């Protein structure tokens, strides 16, 4: 079985010494911190999730010093929302057949094909590996 290794952070010299204008961070944690360091002065750092389950938030001093604007897009989307009410509404819609989950299944023996489909953007929704029959 192949092991997963951490990819090294992209050094700025790979960017010609310049920073990037916008970071859309769906990972946060150490990866988010590394991405934040790649921002040019006046850039924009936008979080859209935390797949690492580790929060990263640049502090106000860093933002001000570099003129970077920070947006937590998920917080904006959920602002003023009542999660239990939204969950109950979604469950009613699912029970009525109006809300249908999107997923594709692949036999475990076809894990490589599932990965290729994900990489090729040939899937919609979740991809689930199921035991071979």
């Amino acid at each position: 079985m192949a092991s997963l290794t951490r990819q090294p952070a992209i050094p700025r010299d790979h960017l010609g010494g310049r920073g990037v204008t916008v970071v859309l961070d769906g990972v946060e944690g150490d990866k988010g911190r590394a991405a934040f360091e790649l921002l040019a002065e006046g850039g924009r750092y936008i979080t859209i999730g935390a797949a690492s389950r580790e929060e990263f938030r640049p502090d106000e001093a860093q933002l001000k010093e570099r003129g970077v604007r920070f947006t937590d897009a998920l917080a904006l989307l959920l602002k003023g929302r009542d999660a239990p009410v939204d969950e109950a509404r979604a469950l009613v819609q699912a029970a009525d057949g109006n809300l249908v989950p999107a997923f594709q299944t692949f036999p475990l023996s076809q894990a490589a094909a599932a990965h290729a489909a994900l990489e090729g953007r040939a899937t919609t929704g979740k991809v689930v590996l199921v035991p071979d029959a």
Side-chain angles (χ1 to χ4, degrees):
M1 181 194 293
S3 64
L4 298 176
T5 58
R6 293 184 108 168
Q7 294 181 345
I10 300 169
R12 271 196 186 218
D13 60 341
H14 279 73
L15 302 171
R18 299 181 344 200
V20 298
T21 306
V22 176
V23 168
L24 296 174
D25 181 10
V27 179
E28 293 194 32
D30 291 339
K31 298 272 188 203
R33 186 173 287 101
F36 179 77
E37 293 305 319
L38 293 175
L39 273 170
E41 279 193 36
R44 175 169 254 180
Y45 180 79
I46 305 168
T47 61
I48 56 175
S52 69
R53 298 184 188 262
E54 297 173 9
E55 186 176 283
F56 166 69
R57 294 290 188 264
D59 65 43
E60 292 296 323
Q62 288 175 306
L63 294 170
K64 187 173 181 179
E65 178 182 315
R66 295 174 53 194
V68 170
R69 290 182 290 167
F70 169 72
T71 304
D72 183 338
L74 188 57
L76 287 176
L77 178 68
L78 298 175
K79 186 175 185 178
R81 303 294 298 255
D82 185 350
V85 170
D86 289 344
E87 181 180 350
R89 191 174 299 134
L91 289 172
V92 167
Q93 291 293 315
D96 290 344
N98 297 321
L99 184 63
V100 181
F103 65 93
Q104 264 180 271
T105 61
F106 287 83
L108 186 56
S109 62
Q110 298 295 314
H115 187 69
L118 283 165
E119 281 188 27
R121 297 179 161 264
T123 61
T124 301
K126 300 296 181 183
V127 172
V128 180
L129 296 175
V130 296
D132 291 301

